[in-house]
Amino acid sequence: MILQGTDDPLVPFGGGNIAARSALNRGRIISTDAVIHQWLKRNGSQLQPVIKDLPDTDKHDGCRVQSFSYAVGKAGTEVVLYRMNGGGHTWPGAPAILPRWLVGNTCHDISGTQVIWDFFKAHPKP
């Protein structure tokens, strides 16, 4: 499971330099889509996701959430992405702790804690 904001200024959705606004060299990462495809290959999951546009419960947070669910992997595995369009480097559903200029928008359309809990309840360790 991945929860990722498309406007994350610290860990860019499309890959590239980590903390791009910082003068520190924190390395580079691959794109979120590339990470998803690596997990799909490893798990033998379907390549076409079920995509859902989740309700916009907070019209003022600057975010819209889509879930991408890739099922039917080995031993019942599933790859899930919650893409927070317009979201930053924050915990979904939590109060903003750091300034928006530094970390981007906090999405309030989902609870990060709840979707992670639901995922692990649905996929218990054998």
Side-chain angles (χ1 to χ4, degrees), residues 30-51:
I30 62 174
S31 71
T32 302
D33 289 338
V35 171
I36 292 291
H37 283 92
Q38 286 184 357
W39 279 109
L40 295 177
K41 184 177 177 182
R42 177 177 295 264
N43 289 350
S45 300
Q46 293 178 351
L47 298 179
Q48 293 300 319
V50 173
I51 303 171

Side-chain angles (χ1 to χ4, degrees), residues 7-70:
D7 293 350
D8 186 330
L10 304 177
V11 180
F13 188 89
N17 292 328
I18 298 172
R21 294 182 184 170
S22 171
L24 300 174
N25 180 3
R26 301 208 181 256
R28 294 181 55 78
I29 59 168
I30 62 174
S31 71
T32 302
D33 289 338
V35 171
I36 292 291
H37 283 92
Q38 286 184 357
W39 279 109
L40 295 177
K41 184 177 177 182
R42 177 177 295 264
N43 289 350
S45 300
Q46 293 178 351
L47 298 179
Q48 293 300 319
V50 173
I51 303 171
K52 293 181 183 174
D53 293 322
L54 302 183
D56 187 9
T57 59
D58 185 336
K59 307 281 188 213
H60 304 289
D61 65 1
C63 300
R64 288 301 309 267
V65 181
Q66 291 180 298
S67 68
F68 297 76
S69 179
Y70 303 83

Side-chain angles (χ1 to χ4, degrees), residues 16 22 30 41-44 48-49 70 74 82 85 99 105 107 118 123 125:
S22 171
I30 62 174
K41 184 177 177 182
R42 177 177 295 264
N43 289 350
Q48 293 300 319
Y70 303 83
K74 298 174 192 169
Y82 283 89
N85 298 306
N105 291 327
C107 184
D118 291 344
H123 303 90
K125 186 176 177 181

